[in-house]
Amino acid sequence: MQLSRSDERFKHDLEAAATALRDASQPDHATTVETVLTPIGAALVARQYADRTNMPISVTRVERQHYAASVEKSDEALGLSVLADQALYEFSEGSFRPEAYTRAISRGEPSDLATLTVTVDKTLRGRATGLLKDPQFTKDLGWKPQSAAIIVRLWLQQRFPLFAGLNADGVIAAYGSGDSLSKLAKQHDVREDLIALLLTNNGILLRERQDFRDALGGCRRQLSRPEVDEVIRRYTVDQAGTYVLAREFGVAPNTIIRLLDRKGIERRPTRGKKSKPE
């Protein structure tokens, strides 16, 4: 497999570190660094983060598409799950301290929400969750994130800014002057849904409600396999309702209902005195 430019740089730095250690009369440490580049070393690193668990992250539909496209375009052969591990690692080690969630990209309306599902190392997630449960830590942080998933989302927002290179004032002015979403998207070489989100985040009402639905994709999408498993777990174990799950995963309620029926899961009543609150 051909290495990316980033991987080549990392490999070169490891080799240089080993040489420096050997020149400093530390041959044992030099050999240890060199071992990282061998199959034995690679297997050790893989085992260190082998115990993994699903982590669903609530994001806007535009955000999820943006992250997937950004990773694909980057010169790093990394997936979102690896980046999620890095986010939790940096948070646990103290090098990443996010600002309050209210300053993050807005959550949007229920129909605009989607779920980004990654797999993360259980130990890293546990360390991050432990910090969030520490009152002194959250006091020092200045706010209390609700979950480790929010930490990952904020880290991704910092690494892949949604509106990088876009002049918000210019886009708002152009839209106010009559330019369409499609014209602005072509002008800035971005997707229409990104322009729509920038405008709505700045309190701009789109001229037609249908513009908003079309730009942000509506609710017509299919659930991925990890999302299917998480929907079933949330419904059967957490007792989440179908409409709650629809909002969380950014799909139509009927999509959740059809999934439950297809899997042979008996649905709870949603009306009447005996029904559980949705």
Side-chain angles (χ1 to χ4, degrees):
M1 177 181 178
Q2 185 176 1
L3 296 178
S4 67
R5 290 193 298 272
S6 177
D7 287 343
E8 287 285 4
R9 288 194 300 269
F10 185 64
K11 180 174 179 289
H12 177 270
D13 289 345
L14 283 174
E15 292 170 342
T19 300
L21 286 168
R22 189 162 280 111
D23 291 344
S25 300
Q26 298 187 53
D28 291 341
H29 290 165
T31 300
T32 299
V33 171
E34 290 169 338
T35 301
V36 175
L37 297 174
T38 68
I40 291 176
L44 169 62
V45 174
R47 286 195 301 274
Q48 186 174 358
Y49 301 105
D51 192 10
R52 309 191 68 77
T53 183
N54 280 352
M55 175 186 278
I57 306 171
S58 181
V59 297
T60 60
R61 193 177 310 281
V62 183
E63 210 174 337
R64 185 176 63 178
Q65 294 167 339
H66 172 70
Y67 296 148
S70 297
V71 170
E72 186 175 344
K73 291 177 182 177
S74 71
D75 65 350
E76 299 174 330
L78 303 175
L80 283 171
S81 292
V82 175
L83 295 175
D85 276 352
Q86 185 67 22
L88 296 176
Y89 174 80
E90 292 184 11
F91 180 72
S92 299
E93 293 296 314
S95 58
F96 175 61
R97 289 292 178 262
E99 296 182 354
Y101 191 50
T102 52
R103 297 184 183 181
I105 299 299
S106 67
R107 293 175 62 85
E109 299 187 8
S111 62
D112 311 324
L113 297 182
T115 299
L116 174 65
T117 301
V118 295
T119 63
V120 295
D121 177 71
K122 283 187 176 181
T123 300
L124 290 174
R125 184 176 186 175
R127 288 170 61 189
T129 301
L131 288 174
L132 298 180
K133 291 181 179 179
D134 182 349
Q136 185 58 48
F137 176 83
T138 54
K139 180 180 179 180
D140 294 340
L141 184 63
W143 67 295
K144 185 176 181 179
Q146 294 180 348
S147 68
I150 291 177
I151 299 302
V152 174
R153 185 187 186 199
L154 296 178
W155 189 91
L156 289 172
Q157 287 178 1
Q158 177 178 285
R159 187 179 182 94
F160 303 115
L162 266 176
F163 307 120
L166 282 177
N167 181 342
D169 292 338
V171 170
I172 293 170
Y175 187 75
S177 298
D179 285 358
S180 65
L181 293 175
S182 59
K183 180 178 179 179
L184 288 169
K186 290 178 181 178
Q187 180 181 343
H188 294 278
D189 192 26
V190 296
R191 296 170 57 97
E192 287 186 35
D193 50 16
L194 191 62
I195 297 294
L197 187 61
L198 184 151
L199 293 169
T200 54
N201 276 358
N202 283 276
I204 306 300
L205 295 177
L206 300 185
R207 283 184 284 274
E208 296 181 14
R209 178 65 186 171
Q210 191 60 41
D211 284 350
F212 188 71
R213 286 189 170 280
D214 291 345
L216 298 181
C219 293
R220 296 180 180 178
R221 75 174 187 89
Q222 297 298 315
L223 293 167
S224 66
R225 179 164 296 186
E227 288 175 332
V228 167
D229 295 339
E230 185 63 16
V231 166
I232 293 173
R233 188 195 69 78
R234 293 273 289 117
Y235 187 82
T236 57
V237 178
D238 296 345
Q239 301 289 293
T242 54
Y243 284 89
V244 170
L245 291 171
R247 289 195 299 271
E248 285 186 13
F249 288 84
V251 296
N254 282 341
T255 300
I256 302 295
I257 292 171
R258 286 195 297 270
L259 168 63
L260 297 174
D261 290 345
R262 190 169 67 250
K263 296 293 184 179
I265 298 173
E266 183 177 354
R267 285 188 278 125
R268 298 186 298 275
T270 57
R271 298 183 183 278
K273 295 182 180 180
K274 295 183 180 181
S275 64
K276 294 181 181 292
E278 285 282 340

